[in-house]
Amino acid sequence: EAQLVQSGGALAQPGGSLRLSCAASGFTFRNYEMIWVRQAPGKGLEWVSYISSPSTVIYYVDSVKGRFTVSRDNAKNSLYLQMDSLSADDTGVYYCAGRKFWSESFGMDVWGQGTTVTVAS
Amino acid sequence: EIVLTQSPGTLSLSPGERATLSCGASQSVNSNYLIWYHQRPGQAPRLLIYGASNRAPGIPDRISGVGSGTDFTLTISRLEPEDAGVYYCHLYADSGPLPFGGGTRVEIK
């Protein structure tokens, strides 16, 4: 069964850093392009970042550019999101998700369970 | 930037009724890239529909999608309690992140 297991969410101070991880199992991770999506409390979904496989194409939403860095290690079947200079606006549940890059479906068909990031002093 | 606008904001219907959800794009889009997700409370989103009208594996045929250009519709016939939650439309793009639609909340009476 395809599965993404997330970790790394925590309480962080404004200006602080966190590193989120997303571990893949049950499928060939290197064949998947991956995204990070976040959801502020009581709000909708927000696309945060995209990374291709290999990591040749990377995108960020404007609000996190220069502060967040997405990366992946296909040998370890893992995706990461390094989050620096955190602010209260970054508070929310963060999801990793992916799709096989040659799939006819452009929807993300495997999702992590989410990890909660809270930025507060 | 393309904006996706969903309506209505909330639907409150009884089991067995039909739900019609709309997603409008601010400009014409490639329907192959139009996606619908369903998020139940406290859960991660789940892929429902891809390419505007194709059901993802395991999605029942009482859930269907249609549309092209700027107007897309998700229909849930014969609502069941498990259909409660928020439905989001989204547009895949190979040129960078695009916002999700604002979502439609479906409440089952």
Side-chain angles (χ1 to χ4, degrees):
Chain A
E1 177 193 1
Q3 194 173 12
L4 294 171
V5 177
Q6 298 183 231
S7 61
L11 172 65
Q13 292 198 335
S17 298
L18 283 176
R19 189 192 196 207
L20 306 184
S21 297
C22 173
S25 62
F27 64 99
T28 306
F29 179 67
R30 66 177 180 272
N31 292 339
Y32 277 64
E33 56 186 24
M34 301 295 294
I35 66 171
W36 287 96
V37 173
R38 67 185 177 183
Q39 188 167 37
K43 302 297 185 182
L45 302 175
E46 180 183 31
W47 234 103
V48 173
S49 184
Y50 163 94
I51 185 168
S52 63
S53 181
S55 310
T56 50
V57 180
I58 288 174
Y59 297 114
Y60 301 98
V61 68
D62 285 349
S63 59
V64 309
K65 281 180 183 176
R67 302 188 300 118
F68 289 12
T69 303
V70 63
S71 63
R72 66 190 296 162
D73 185 337
N74 286 347
K76 294 183 178 180
N77 294 323
S78 292
L79 173 74
Y80 307 100
L81 186 67
Q82 176 67 38
M83 308 165 63
D84 298 320
S85 303
L86 286 163
S87 73
D89 290 342
D90 298 316
T91 294
V93 178
Y94 284 70
Y95 297 99
C96 58
R99 66 171 283 271
K100 193 180 296 184
F101 56 77
W102 65 76
S103 172
E104 65 169 343
S105 164
F106 290 96
M108 301 296 151
D109 57 3
V110 58
W111 289 75
Q113 84 279 15
T115 191
T116 300
V117 171
T118 304
V119 183
S121 54
Chain B
E1 179 181 89
I2 299 173
V3 175
L4 298 177
T5 301
Q6 293 188 241
S7 62
T10 303
L11 274 176
S12 184
L13 297 167
S14 298
E17 290 193 300
R18 181 187 192 92
T20 302
L21 290 67
S22 296
C23 174
S26 57
Q27 59 186 272
S28 184
V29 302
N30 183 336
S31 61
N32 289 326
Y33 295 156
L34 196 286
I35 310 298
W36 289 95
Y37 296 99
H38 175 213
Q39 185 179 35
R40 295 186 177 113
Q43 295 188 16
R46 177 191 182 191
L47 176 64
L48 285 182
I49 298 286
Y50 64 91
S53 61
N54 302 288
R55 279 183 291 275
I59 302 303
D61 59 8
R62 56 190 183 77
I63 294 176
S64 61
V66 296
S68 64
T70 60
D71 297 309
F72 299 89
T73 301
L74 181 74
T75 300
I76 311 168
S77 61
R78 306 185 306 281
L79 275 168
E80 297 186 3
E82 65 188 31
D83 298 325
V86 183
Y87 291 78
Y88 295 95
C89 60
H90 190 225
L91 190 66
Y92 178 91
D94 54 9
S95 58
L98 287 177
F100 288 80
T104 292
R105 181 175 304 276
V106 173
E107 298 175 346
I108 311 297
K109 295 177 183 176

